[in-house]
Amino acid sequence: MKGFKGFKGIVEIMHLIPGRVRFLVPTLKNEPDKCKQLKTQLEKAEQINGITPNPITGKVLIEFDKDHIDVETLTGVLVKLLGLEKSIEKSPNSMLTKELKDLFKSLNTGVYEYTNGVMDLRSLVTTSFIGFGAYSMIVKRNLMPPGLNFLYWAYMNLQKP
């Protein structure tokens, strides 16, 4: 139990004492019907002594029999009942990755509009690498400058879904 915090942004443990846990579940925010349904389903379990979901804050207070169920299991139950399995399986993206992807989307749109749809950022980068590669091989008798390799790898890494 020590160290387990749930799943950030999906089902997070906000506060925990033996037999009582408060979760933050953002998908419950402004969803009174989901909260009511969750309460109805969890009240059926013998190990649950009380449940108080709050649709205003998206928090859920659960009182439980600590001798028969643990917080990890409760977290799993919440994930399953709310259908959040796919959210957990997604690979998280850092804020920097999101900002860089937004930057590349903006650049892509800019190149596309500037060339009237002839090129986008991907085709511009591809043709540039072909040109630099040919220049390096023919004129400099070198395969490819290392700096361009890193730029290419960074660009391709950001293009992954």
Side-chain angles (χ1 to χ4, degrees):
M1 179 170 11
K2 193 173 186 176
F4 181 72
K5 302 283 186 203
F7 301 98
K8 188 157 184 67
I10 302 167
V11 176
E12 293 181 57
I13 296 172
M14 302 301 295
H15 186 259
L16 173 66
I17 58 174
R20 181 178 160 125
V21 62
R22 185 178 312 276
F23 290 100
L24 173 63
V25 186
T27 58
L28 291 178
K29 199 169 186 176
N30 300 318
E31 295 285 348
D33 292 339
K34 271 188 185 179
C35 288
K36 192 181 292 184
Q37 183 181 16
L38 179 67
K39 182 175 176 138
T40 302
Q41 290 174 324
L42 282 176
E43 284 177 332
K44 295 176 185 176
E46 296 175 7
Q47 299 87 354
I48 305 295
N49 300 329
I51 174 168
T52 310
N54 186 330
I56 295 170
T57 62
K59 293 181 180 176
V60 180
L61 176 66
I62 300 177
E63 296 175 54
F64 59 98
D65 182 352
K66 64 180 173 46
D67 296 327
H68 291 94
I69 192 167
D70 58 29
V71 73
E72 291 89 350
T73 304
L74 278 176
T75 305
V77 168
L78 283 177
V79 167
K80 186 70 175 169
L81 288 175
L82 295 170
L84 299 172
E85 298 95 332
K86 295 225 186 275
S87 299
I88 290 171
E89 293 170 1
K90 287 182 187 174
S91 177
N93 284 330
S94 70
M95 186 185 303
L96 180 60
T97 299
K98 290 175 187 172
E99 293 298 322
L100 286 172
K101 284 185 178 187
D102 287 344
L103 173 67
F104 278 103
K105 284 179 186 177
S106 297
L107 286 171
N108 185 50
T109 301
V111 170
Y112 184 83
E113 289 176 359
Y114 183 78
T115 62
N116 292 321
V118 173
M119 294 185 111
D120 61 358
L121 186 59
R122 180 172 282 206
S123 61
L124 176 64
V125 169
T126 302
T127 55
S128 297
F129 280 124
I130 291 170
F132 286 131
Y135 174 79
S136 293
M137 288 172 55
I138 295 168
V139 176
K140 292 195 169 195
R141 306 246 185 249
N142 199 357
L143 284 179
M144 188 175 252
L148 288 178
N149 282 338
F150 290 120
L151 290 173
Y152 175 75
W153 292 333
Y155 175 76
M156 291 310 294
N157 193 41
L158 290 170
Q159 296 302 313
K160 292 180 182 176

